[in-house]
Amino acid sequence: MAAGASFAGEPPHIAVSILPQKGVVGRLVGDRVIIDVLLPPGASPATFEPTPRQMAHLTGAIAFISIGAPFEPAVVPRIAEQNPDLVIVDSASQVTKRRMSEASGHHHHSAWDPHVWLDPIRMKTITTTTARALQELMPSSRDVIEERLQKSIRLLDQQHERVSEILAGFEGR
């Protein structure tokens, strides 16, 4: 279905990579969409391989929103190839990446920390990118999405302030 198309009957489906994104989309559009999470509970994002059934289910979605999860480099091109009309949004495209050693002091299988959803500042960028894509896909909900985006940003700012206060004595460690 093309961006901006009207939807009759059932709400449109939006697919996301991981559970935290379901919360982002849900806060922005509520019950205006059905949100499908690709990575099932308990599955490892490092080794996840979607089943043929999961891949087939994406054909009913109007968008797939990625976030930089470790499985995405192998999976997103296949999703795009099998669903050429599907809008694919990289919600973390504008997020400043951190090396794993900067994030945790440990080496990891990936050079970059994929856990961007744990940082309220990065989540503001992800939420804004997601909101802009949803506004393009659902122009009749543009104002509602904008209002909910501003509320989400305020909540993320509050979370950042709380976390900063808690961690204030641990700077540089």
Side-chain angles (χ1 to χ4, degrees), residues 142-158:
R142 184 176 296 276
D143 293 340
V144 171
I145 294 168
E146 186 63 33
E147 181 181 311
R148 290 177 175 198
L149 169 63
Q150 297 311 314
K151 182 178 180 180
S152 293
I153 287 174
R154 286 191 299 274
L155 290 172
L156 288 163
D157 283 337
Q158 291 170 359

Side-chain angles (χ1 to χ4, degrees), residues 54-121:
Q54 287 172 307
M55 292 295 284
H57 190 66
L58 289 172
T59 60
I62 61 167
F64 176 77
I65 304 174
S66 68
I67 194 167
F71 67 86
E72 291 178 355
V75 173
V76 172
R78 288 191 0 238
I79 291 171
E81 182 180 318
Q82 293 178 18
N83 302 283
D85 294 331
L86 183 69
V87 175
I88 297 180
V89 178
D90 179 356
S91 67
S93 64
Q94 301 300 311
V95 172
T96 302
K97 295 180 176 147
R98 294 189 318 175
R99 292 205 168 274
M100 283 299 290
S101 58
E102 294 171 26
S104 67
H106 295 48
H107 292 287
H108 195 264
H109 65 275
S110 171
W112 301 105
D113 181 6
H115 306 99
V116 293
W117 62 90
L118 298 175
D119 180 342
I121 299 301

